[in-house]
Amino acid sequence: MQIVKIVAAGVAIVGMSVAANAHAGKTFDSVKAKGYVQCGVGTGLPGFSSVDSKGQYTGLDVDVCRAVAAAMFGDANKVRYTPLTAKERFTALQSGEIDILSRNTTWTMTRDTSLGLTFAGVNYYDGQGFLVKKSLGVTSAKELAGATFCIQAGTTTELNLADYMRSHHMKYQAVTFDTSDATSKAFDNGRCDVLTSDQSQLYALRTQLKNPEGAMVLPEVISKEPLGPVVRSDDTQWFNLVKWSLFAMKNAEWLGVTSKNVAEMKKSNNPNIQRLLGTSGEFGKMIGVSNAWAYDIISQVGNYGESFERNVGMESPLKIKRGLNALWTQGGIQYAPPIR
């Protein structure tokens, strides 16, 4: 009797899975029908989303978009990009102008619960810092009383700065701009004493200054800024595809599967690698795509570590150390649930 019950339950689960795939959500169906992913990115932030000399979008955030396209279509190039300011990004996603927002966006409780949006994971753990010109003669954020700050409008940066200065009983003046590029140029031209933003952005923007060596990032980090892709909350299947595309990149790094060895790894006897690459199980079908979904991501975009090093790590002009963004097995906190 027990066996009969288990078999019956298994049939029911399979039936639910098939039904879920047969009735995919609005965004999933729409993306599949039009043949590309419309991805909202930044307006130009080196390392995360910017246009290279060949006119191609590159960056850590861009790679998330490419991974989703590879999983969905088997082709990482089936992406169209919409550059968005911080003010525009959530409205663009809510209105359906874009399918996914992958634009250095901080996961907060307010954004996750009140905008009709859902964060699909964290592709970069960041924190807010301060960039100053060495000629200012300060070495700590606690010496910035009375300073003028350049800030990008519509970000958590404004609120974090207000909290920090209030808690340290320091007065300040804020000057806001719509884009990170405008904020950086204002700092470069002397409109303010300090540029404050996520530390990753400060390192990126410093490379664009007239004299990068004349500026320094102060040691203080005053906030938690978990950055990641966002989707609308009304389509679970689309959410699962975006979420597991990011998880596949992290699991690939954990398992040592790279863009260079992924074809050879299909012969692996490791059950975790077999499930990741679709040589066992039906994990692609569970999210409505081919069982080669993760193979396509890794072969065309690379694993998370490859993407990090290429875009913002030591192989890039930014030369940011992995730090918190190392895998949990390497002293960081990047972690993905298992595929099984």
Side-chain angles (χ1 to χ4, degrees), residues 46-59:
F48 289 84
S49 60
S50 60
V51 179
D52 65 16
S53 59
K54 299 178 182 177
Q56 302 294 318
Y57 273 94
T58 64

Side-chain angles (χ1 to χ4, degrees), residues 236-247:
T236 300
Q237 188 162 9
W238 180 244
F239 166 65
N240 282 336
L241 179 63
V242 174
K243 176 176 61 178
W244 281 98
S245 294
L246 178 58
F247 287 165

Side-chain angles (χ1 to χ4, degrees), residues 252-301:
E253 183 182 11
W254 167 55
L255 294 167
V257 183
T258 71
S259 58
K260 295 180 177 60
N261 68 15
V262 63
E264 184 66 23
M265 284 290 193
K266 290 185 76 173
K267 304 173 186 174
S268 173
N269 293 323
N270 184 326
N272 287 307
I273 294 176
Q274 291 176 344
R275 288 191 286 268
L276 174 70
L277 299 182
T279 56
S280 72
E282 300 287 342
F283 297 96
K285 291 184 179 179
M286 291 180 186
I287 53 175
V289 297
S290 162
N291 279 335
W293 63 287
Y295 177 90
D296 290 332
I297 291 173
I298 300 161
S299 62
Q300 298 177 42
V301 184

Side-chain angles (χ1 to χ4, degrees), residues 33-293:
K34 65 187 179 186
Y36 61 86
V37 178
Q38 191 74 46
C39 192
V41 296
T43 53
L45 182 63
F48 289 84
S49 60
S50 60
V51 179
D52 65 16
S53 59
K54 299 178 182 177
Q56 302 294 318
Y57 273 94
T58 64
L60 196 70
D61 291 338
V62 169
D63 277 354
V64 173
C65 307
R66 299 185 74 242
V68 174
M72 186 81 172
F73 301 109
D75 186 347
N77 294 318
K78 290 189 177 297
V79 183
R80 295 184 184 179
Y81 298 96
T82 301
L84 298 166
T85 67
K87 282 185 175 180
E88 297 168 336
R89 55 186 164 178
F90 296 125
T91 302
L93 184 57
Q94 291 166 327
S95 67
E97 179 184 348
I98 58 175
D99 304 311
I100 172 177
L101 175 67
S102 186
R103 183 203 177 283
N104 60 310
T105 298
T106 302
W107 186 346
T108 70
M109 182 173 180
T110 300
R111 291 170 175 175
D112 201 34
T113 61
S114 65
L115 301 181
L117 307 177
T118 301
F119 283 77
V122 176
N123 70 328
Y124 193 94
Y125 287 99
D126 212 336
Q128 185 174 335
F130 302 96
L131 180 69
V132 299
K133 292 178 181 174
K134 293 178 180 176
S135 59
L136 193 63
V138 301
T139 57
S140 168
K142 296 178 182 175
E143 302 170 32
L144 295 177
T148 302
F149 292 75
C150 285
I151 307 174
Q152 189 176 353
T155 65
T156 55
T157 304
E158 294 180 270
L159 303 176
N160 293 333
L161 177 64
D163 289 347
Y164 181 81
M165 300 302 277
R166 188 185 308 113
S167 64
H168 287 80
H169 309 290
M170 294 190 291
K171 293 183 178 179
Y172 71 102
Q173 182 179 352
V175 185
T176 60
F177 301 88
D178 286 339
T179 66
S180 60
D181 184 54
T183 308
S184 176
K185 287 180 178 176
F187 172 73
D188 208 12
N189 292 328
R191 291 279 308 277
C192 54
D193 303 308
V194 188
L195 174 58
T196 182
S197 187
D198 294 348
Q199 276 208 339
S200 61
Q201 289 195 41
L202 297 181
Y203 283 107
L205 295 174
R206 188 175 64 168
T207 65
Q208 299 177 328
L209 299 179
K210 298 170 186 172
N211 177 20
E213 298 304 318
M216 60 183 288
V217 178
L218 297 179
E220 286 86 356
V221 177
I222 66 168
S223 68
K224 293 185 291 184
E225 307 292 338
L227 313 178
V230 196
V231 297
R232 288 179 292 280
S233 302
D234 60 354
D235 188 338
T236 300
Q237 188 162 9
W238 180 244
F239 166 65
N240 282 336
L241 179 63
V242 174
K243 176 176 61 178
W244 281 98
S245 294
L246 178 58
F247 287 165
M249 295 177 73
K250 297 181 185 180
N251 275 319
E253 183 182 11
W254 167 55
L255 294 167
V257 183
T258 71
S259 58
K260 295 180 177 60
N261 68 15
V262 63
E264 184 66 23
M265 284 290 193
K266 290 185 76 173
K267 304 173 186 174
S268 173
N269 293 323
N270 184 326
N272 287 307
I273 294 176
Q274 291 176 344
R275 288 191 286 268
L276 174 70
L277 299 182
T279 56
S280 72
E282 300 287 342
F283 297 96
K285 291 184 179 179
M286 291 180 186
I287 53 175
V289 297
S290 162
N291 279 335
W293 63 287

